Amino acid sequence: MSRLDYKLLIFDWDGTLADSIGRIVEAMHVASQRSGFQLRDDLAVKGIIGLGLPEAIRTLYPEIGDDELVAFRQHYADHYIASEAVPSPLFEGVVESLEAFRAEGYHLAVATGKARRGLDRVLKSHGWEDYFDITRAADETASKPHPLMLEQILAHCDVRPEQALMVGDSSFDLQMARNAGMDSVAVSYGAQSIEALRVFEPCLAIDHFSQLHAWLGQRAN
């Protein structure tokens, strides 16, 4: 497949576009403490980033009851929203690369484990309410790694799976792409190790976001 065959670039948000992993881990620890659950270590929490919040909490605490889950989610949201009074910064090279992709005619989309309210909040903070062709959040579709959000993005953009590329930092992102029949790119600077991501055979692994633009440009030559 040549670069010209890719028409749609789909990005995870946390850990791929935004440097927010530390805040997510902290909010999960605070919610655990306030809810009376034993803390999980940082590595365990990073391992569930990418899932929808209910799925993430239940993965960490399988024994949690429905009422406890509601309270836990509220504690998490309270702390995370407070910490995001100053939005998590975008990784270096993200703005410039996305602008270049837009100028080159790519469709751009976001597929995230965030809830819609949280995604809308961070998009607004960056002035990106209408930046992407489409965005999908975990609470309005199936959680990763189910391919539904990618299928919805593909349908909206009228693009075939082989014409799309999913970029993410978690196994859930790459497994979702595989489930949808599309290629993926792994980033090494997010929630999970590049060794864990290589299991899903991404067509590229990058250490800096700008490497994606360089790679796509090389494939066009």
Side-chain angles (χ1 to χ4, degrees):
M1 181 178 290
S2 73
R3 167 259 185 233
L4 296 178
D5 291 323
Y6 290 128
K7 296 182 177 180
L8 168 61
L9 305 178
I10 307 170
F11 303 97
D12 171 57
W13 185 269
D14 294 305
T16 300
L17 298 182
D19 187 4
S20 49
I21 298 302
R23 290 181 178 182
I24 293 172
V25 172
E26 180 183 275
M28 193 65 73
H29 288 332
V30 169
S32 299
Q33 290 176 319
R34 292 178 180 174
S35 301
F37 286 90
Q38 183 178 355
L39 292 184
R40 300 295 189 246
D41 62 31
D42 288 1
L43 188 61
V45 176
K46 289 179 180 180
I48 53 82
I49 292 175
L51 293 172
L53 185 57
E55 292 81 6
I57 296 168
R58 288 195 183 280
T59 299
L60 289 174
Y61 300 103
E63 73 278 14
I64 195 168
D66 291 343
D67 291 343
E68 291 173 312
L69 178 63
V70 171
F72 194 112
R73 291 180 66 181
Q74 191 60 54
H75 289 315
Y76 175 91
D78 289 345
H79 185 84
Y80 189 80
I81 291 171
S83 72
E84 282 278 286
V86 176
S88 296
L90 300 172
F91 286 107
E92 183 180 355
V94 165
V95 173
E96 298 84 353
S97 296
L98 292 182
E99 287 294 331
F101 295 143
R102 278 166 57 100
E104 291 162 10
Y106 288 101
H107 293 293
L108 302 180
V110 169
T112 179
K114 284 184 173 300
R116 169 52 61 183
R117 184 173 64 175
L119 179 60
D120 285 347
R121 185 180 64 251
V122 295
L123 289 174
K124 183 177 181 180
S125 73
H126 292 287
W128 280 359
E129 294 98 324
D130 301 312
Y131 190 90
F132 296 94
D133 292 74
I134 179 175
T135 61
R136 299 304 288 160
D139 63 340
E140 61 192 9
T141 182
S143 174
K144 303 173 184 179
H146 194 285
L148 181 59
M149 68 171 70
L150 293 185
E151 293 166 353
Q152 292 169 337
I153 291 170
L154 290 169
H156 177 86
C157 296
D158 192 24
V159 169
R160 299 191 305 274
E162 63 269 20
Q163 296 174 310
L165 192 64
M166 175 70 207
V167 184
D169 69 310
S170 79
S171 58
F172 309 114
D173 297 321
L174 275 58
Q175 181 66 61
M176 178 176 65
R178 176 180 284 184
N179 291 343
M182 69 174 61
D183 288 342
S184 65
V185 169
V187 305
S188 67
Y189 50 78
Q192 296 183 21
S193 72
I194 201 64
E195 291 76 22
L197 301 183
R198 289 190 190 278
V199 172
F200 298 94
E201 301 179 322
C203 55
L204 177 69
I206 58 176
D207 300 317
H208 189 283
F209 193 84
S210 63
Q211 290 175 296
L212 175 61
H213 184 253
W215 179 74
L216 289 170
Q218 289 170 359
R219 290 168 68 87
N221 298 326

